[in-house]
Amino acid sequence: MSTNAERHRNPWLPWLPSLLVLWALVPGLARAAEFRSGDVVQVGPQEVIDEDLYAFGRVVNIQGTVRGDVIAMGREVDISGTVEGDVMSAASVNRISTPVRGSLRAAGGELSVSGPVGEDAMLAAGNLSLTPEARVGKDLYLLSGDARLYAPVQGELRAAAGTLTLAAPVGQDAHAEVGTLRLTDGARVGGNLSYRSDKDAQLASGAVVSGTVEHLAPRQEKGGGPAMGLYLWLRSLVGLFALGLLFSLLTPRFAHRVTAMLRQRPLPSLGLGAAFFVSVPFLAGLVFLVGLLLGGWWIGLFILALYGFAIALSFPVVGLFLGRWLLERFHKTGAHLAVALLLGLVLLTLVGRVPILGGLVALATILFGLGALLLGVLRGREPAGAPV
């Protein structure tokens, strides 16, 4: 459990705008969730949180009991207590050894799951491991460079991976799109096995597939190959660059304030962005349903349109910040805004085309960008500090 001294060293005031807006959007949410942020966020072994927990920090360590959901993000996340709700976790190094009674959504460079999951699991990682102590109560969906499954899956398995090693039972069908598929002696597929690969699966003599085994050819790239890929990349780059220029030229003070937020308030930006990324579609759907009964259903669609625009704008916002940061590293502080924007967007869009990593980078870009935009709106003035 965090000590009082730790909490004083990790001020909660930067989160106040986030809490106020969430309270305004979803009545009662401020009373039903606990927010923690800082360099190190810790929930001690004896600590019990009776509501949802939002934890954002460089290191997040949850050893106690959370009776609601957990949403955690950081460079390193370690959840080893008990979670009675769902878990959503994103980190460079992500370790989930807690019993999760609900669903698990986790992403990371390195992801290890060694606790039972009561319902579905959706996992994305460069390196993914489900240890023998784990168990997935329903279906498992995964995206990974190298995935090793040593834990039973009660439902269906759907996987996309460079290398997939299955060494445990799967209760129903298994579908995989892989470079290499291995089934060890411990593998049991209760239904059919179908996989797309340019190589035959490596099936150990003790592996059992109750249904049929279907080997499908890899999907063929559509749309003209590399030339079309280059065209699509350039088209997305030009569109985002034009949007970023309009944003910076039409609202220069606000654009400066938003990029300053990314520099000075990175963790609150990430936290607020994650909260809004999840809550706004729910809010729009609620407004739409109420509007069908009472009138004004179109307001829900308007909220969704603004939400989509904010997500698109997140890429130029983060691209501008990233470009300026890189130019500063090379002592090019006098470079034009357009140069910084173009440099940042080129890097983001190129990385975005890398399998697996691109999706994780895009998600991080959206969360940081949304949070910075909202903090910029809430503050309403340029923060003190070093210029961006």
Side-chain angles (χ1 to χ4, degrees):
M1 182 175 181
S2 301
T3 63
N4 289 334
E6 286 174 330
R7 290 179 179 174
H8 283 300
R9 287 196 297 268
N10 299 326
W12 58 269
L13 285 176
W15 284 94
L16 184 57
S18 310
L19 296 174
L20 291 175
V21 173
L22 286 171
W23 174 82
L25 288 179
V26 185
L29 179 59
R31 298 189 301 272
E34 181 168 335
F35 290 77
R36 295 190 184 184
S37 66
D39 187 52
V40 177
V41 177
Q42 183 165 336
V43 178
Q46 306 304 318
E47 190 171 359
V48 176
I49 297 177
D50 291 319
E51 51 203 5
D52 295 343
L53 172 64
Y54 290 73
F56 307 100
R58 183 180 59 84
V59 175
V60 176
N61 188 1
I62 301 173
Q63 300 174 317
T65 298
V66 180
R67 292 187 174 149
D69 299 336
V70 169
I71 296 179
M73 293 187 183
R75 190 173 72 183
E76 181 176 340
V77 172
D78 193 332
I79 305 177
S80 58
T82 298
V83 180
E84 297 184 1
D86 299 335
V87 170
M88 295 177 60
S89 178
S92 178
V93 178
N94 209 343
R95 292 183 291 268
I96 313 293
S97 56
T98 178
V100 179
R101 296 184 183 176
S103 299
L104 172 63
R105 307 286 185 266
E110 298 283 340
L111 172 59
S112 173
V113 179
S114 56
V117 178
E119 299 183 6
D120 296 334
M122 185 176 294
L123 312 174
N127 292 296
L128 168 64
S129 175
L130 263 69
T131 72
E133 296 78 18
R135 184 185 71 254
V136 178
K138 293 186 179 179
D139 299 334
L140 171 61
Y141 306 88
L142 69 87
L143 176 66
S144 178
D146 182 13
R148 301 170 302 282
L149 307 184
Y150 301 101
V153 177
Q154 302 297 320
E156 188 177 65
L157 169 65
R158 290 188 175 271
T163 300
L164 173 62
T165 301
L166 179 60
V170 174
Q172 300 178 18
D173 295 341
H175 307 274
E177 190 160 348
V178 296
T180 300
L181 175 62
R182 300 190 186 101
L183 272 68
T184 72
D185 288 330
R188 304 282 189 277
V189 178
N192 300 323
L193 169 65
S194 66
Y195 66 99
R196 290 186 181 273
S197 177
D198 56 4
K199 296 184 290 186
D200 290 334
Q202 301 173 18
L203 302 178
S205 59
V208 176
V209 178
S210 299
T212 61
V213 177
E214 184 180 17
H215 182 186
L216 304 173
R219 298 180 189 275
Q220 298 297 318
E221 293 292 334
K222 298 180 181 180
M228 181 57 70
L230 177 61
Y231 165 73
L232 294 175
W233 172 70
L234 286 174
R235 187 176 69 174
S236 65
L237 177 62
V238 170
L240 292 173
F241 182 67
L243 178 61
L245 278 182
L246 287 173
F247 172 65
S248 300
L249 295 177
L250 295 178
T251 59
R253 290 177 62 85
F254 180 60
H256 176 90
R257 186 161 67 243
V258 168
T259 52
M261 289 298 174
L262 282 174
R263 179 188 295 272
Q264 299 175 12
R265 303 285 188 271
L267 288 177
S269 294
L270 176 63
L272 182 58
F276 270 76
F277 184 73
V278 173
S279 63
V280 170
F282 169 78
L283 170 69
L286 183 63
V287 170
F288 181 80
L289 291 176
V290 173
L292 289 177
L293 298 174
L294 304 179
W297 55 267
W298 53 269
I299 298 176
L301 300 181
F302 180 69
I303 293 173
L304 279 180
L306 288 179
Y307 176 70
F309 177 74
I311 287 177
L313 191 57
S314 297
F315 287 86
V317 165
V318 175
L320 180 58
F321 165 76
L322 180 60
R324 283 177 167 172
W325 182 84
L326 288 172
L327 289 171
E328 287 177 4
R329 302 287 78 76
F330 290 96
H331 308 290
K332 303 292 185 181
T333 55
H336 194 275
L337 175 147
V339 175
L341 177 62
L342 182 60
L343 174 61
L345 286 176
V346 165
L347 291 174
L348 284 177
T349 52
L350 283 176
V351 174
R353 300 190 67 82
V354 178
I356 302 172
L357 177 62
L360 298 176
V361 170
L363 177 61
T365 299
I366 291 170
L367 299 185
F368 276 109
L370 280 177
L373 285 166
L374 290 165
L375 281 176
V377 170
L378 292 171
R379 285 187 66 92
R381 61 181 180 84
E382 296 181 5
V388 178

